């Protein structure tokens, strides 16, 4: 706590765990919840300007590095932007969306982001969520809002087979422990 | 365990992802209605052994409300459909009729 006043810290401050897979909290990530009519051209333009991505299809993500757009529900997206730029992006977004029936809110500090990689990530996630994660049923670029044991979370798969997990910041410690237990050595199931 | 198809996000959601929302297609009797109608709107519910229409919410998923037609005796699901309707769409009625000929539920058959 060298600088308790000004430096923002992510929920788990980059905690990591290595078992059959690597679990890490990825740190600060700018996140904007956007609700509105996803078929609107103005909304599409605003999303393009903020993230460089188009409006994702149902249950799809379009993410490049720490920028992108994730489908959340028929009228909601989660926009990912670099943490340092979130306020500027939000202001630009609200400017473009003036007159639109839409709402954009900065939720960066209300969420935590984890990455599960290096190993049987599918298996680790399948222990926690009631989702068919078998190859063919769940592939890179797909997102699923679901339940991680007892809390809500969103998971998507990256091109290299790693999973990103987003949960509420208030349950970040719980989710980190969940993922760590699901990834502990000797816990391979070998089902996929 | 019950698995319902969410008509909005298109996933087959496990019961543990869903919240039950009680009976479907309840007509609100508010100002201008009499005490009996208001009483029925508040308290009178179907309790069938067989075909039942219900509201469910994909709580841990997309968060949207939808309707489900299922059998309370066998837990068989006939189909799910969006919430923005006053009665089950024809394809849902047909699916129920195929399995339970002569069914009726409140004013629907």
């Amino acid at each position: 706590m060298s600088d308790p006043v000004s430096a923002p810290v992510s929920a788990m401050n980059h905690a990591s765990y290595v078992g059959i897979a690597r679990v890490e909290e990825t740190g600060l990530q700018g996140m904007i919840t956007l609700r509105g009519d996803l078929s609107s051209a103005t909304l599409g333009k605003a999303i393009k300007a903020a993230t460089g991505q188009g409006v994702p299809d149902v249950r799809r993500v379009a993410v490049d590095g720490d920028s992108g757009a994730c489908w959340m529900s028929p009228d909601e997206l989660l926009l990912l932007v670099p943490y340092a730029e979130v306020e500027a992006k939000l202001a630009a977004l609200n400017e473009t969306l003036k007159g639109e029936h839409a709402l954009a809110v900065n939720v960066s500090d209300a969420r935590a982001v984890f990455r599960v990689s290096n190993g049987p990530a599918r298996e680790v996630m399948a222990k926690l969520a009631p989702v068919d994660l078998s190859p063919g049923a769940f592939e890179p670029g797909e997102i699923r809002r679901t339940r991680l044991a007892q809390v809500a979370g969103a998971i998507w798969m990256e091109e290299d087979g790693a999973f990103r997990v987003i949960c509420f910041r208030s349950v970040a410690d719980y989710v980190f422990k969940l993922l760590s237990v699901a990834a502990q050595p000797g816990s391979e199931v070998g089902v996929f | 365990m019950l698995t319902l198809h969410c008509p909005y996000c298109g996933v087959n959601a496990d019961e543990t992802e869903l919240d039950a929302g009680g009976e479907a297609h309840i007509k609100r009797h508010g100002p201008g209605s009499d005490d009996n109608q208001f009483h029925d709107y508040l308290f009178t519910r179907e309790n069938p052994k067989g075909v039942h229409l219900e509201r469910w919410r994909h709580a841990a998923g997309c968060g949207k409300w939808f309707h489900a037609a299922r059998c309370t005796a066998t837990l068989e699901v006939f189909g799910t459909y969006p919430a923005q309707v006053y009665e089950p769409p024809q394809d849902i009625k047909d699916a129920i009729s195929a399995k339970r000929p002569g069914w009726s539920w409140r004013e629907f058959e």
Side-chain angles (χ1 to χ4, degrees):
Chain A
M1 301 291 278
S2 55
D3 190 358
V5 179
S6 60
V9 176
S10 65
M12 298 300 292
N13 203 9
H14 295 275
S16 68
Y17 173 88
V18 178
I20 56 172
R22 180 183 164 77
V23 178
E24 62 186 316
E25 200 239 7
T26 57
L28 296 167
Q29 165 73 56
M31 285 178 257
I32 298 170
T33 277
L34 176 63
R35 294 198 91 136
D37 176 5
L38 301 190
S39 61
S40 145
T42 315
L43 201 86
K45 213 167 66 189
I47 294 164
K48 188 88 189 165
T51 67
Q53 304 286 352
V55 179
D57 284 339
V58 174
R59 280 184 292 118
R60 302 298 295 177
V61 292
V63 179
D64 185 15
D66 53 6
S67 285
C70 309
W71 190 90
M72 287 276 130
S73 89
D75 55 2
E76 180 180 347
L77 297 178
L78 184 69
L79 305 183
L80 306 179
V81 297
Y83 186 82
E85 297 169 25
V86 62
E87 285 301 337
K89 297 271 190 190
L90 187 63
L93 204 58
N94 280 328
E95 186 60 36
T96 315
L97 291 175
K98 225 171 234 172
E100 254 322 86
H101 184 65
L103 177 71
V105 177
N106 176 7
V107 295
S108 312
D109 298 317
R111 304 273 191 278
V113 187
F114 296 92
R115 188 163 192 268
V116 181
S117 58
N118 286 353
R122 274 185 198 275
E123 209 163 80
V124 172
M125 297 314 304
K127 291 177 189 175
L128 302 174
V131 179
D132 184 358
L133 293 177
S134 54
F138 197 88
E139 290 294 332
E142 185 166 352
I143 188 167
R144 184 75 153 74
R145 276 175 80 182
T146 182
R147 174 178 69 78
L148 301 166
Q150 307 204 23
V151 297
I155 58 176
W156 78 88
M157 204 174 178
E158 298 181 324
E159 291 305 322
D160 61 358
F163 277 84
R164 288 273 175 166
V165 180
I166 292 183
C167 68
F168 288 114
R169 185 182 180 120
S170 56
V171 295
D173 183 54
Y174 173 78
V175 169
F176 178 69
K177 286 171 180 163
L178 269 185
L179 292 168
S180 302
V181 168
Q184 64 187 310
S187 70
E188 297 94 339
V189 180
V191 68
F192 298 134
Chain B
M1 183 163 306
L2 205 55
T3 303
L4 297 178
H5 179 83
C6 172
Y8 298 103
C9 59
V11 301
N12 292 317
D14 182 281
E15 189 179 341
T16 58
E17 262 186 33
L18 304 166
D19 276 355
E23 190 169 317
H25 307 299
I26 293 170
K27 185 184 183 325
R28 185 174 190 278
H29 287 282
S33 54
D34 64 35
D35 286 356
N36 281 335
Q37 285 174 320
F38 190 62
H39 170 273
D40 288 351
Y41 156 64
L42 282 181
F43 302 116
T44 310
R45 294 291 176 269
E46 298 295 310
N47 185 22
K49 181 182 178 185
V51 175
H52 196 28
L53 306 180
E54 295 174 326
R55 300 194 307 154
W56 287 83
R57 192 170 86 94
H58 195 188
C62 62
K64 298 296 177 194
W65 285 96
F66 61 92
H67 287 138
R70 67 183 189 101
C71 175
T72 58
T74 64
L75 297 190
E76 182 177 5
V77 178
F78 304 111
T80 56
Y81 50 103
Q84 290 78 14
V85 292
Y86 292 111
E87 61 175 287
Q90 195 55 45
D91 61 318
I92 296 289
K93 289 181 178 176
D94 291 346
I96 303 173
S97 296
K99 296 280 181 62
R100 302 283 188 279
W103 69 282
S104 70
W105 185 87
R106 284 199 337 226
E107 70 270 35
F108 309 129
E109 56 189 30

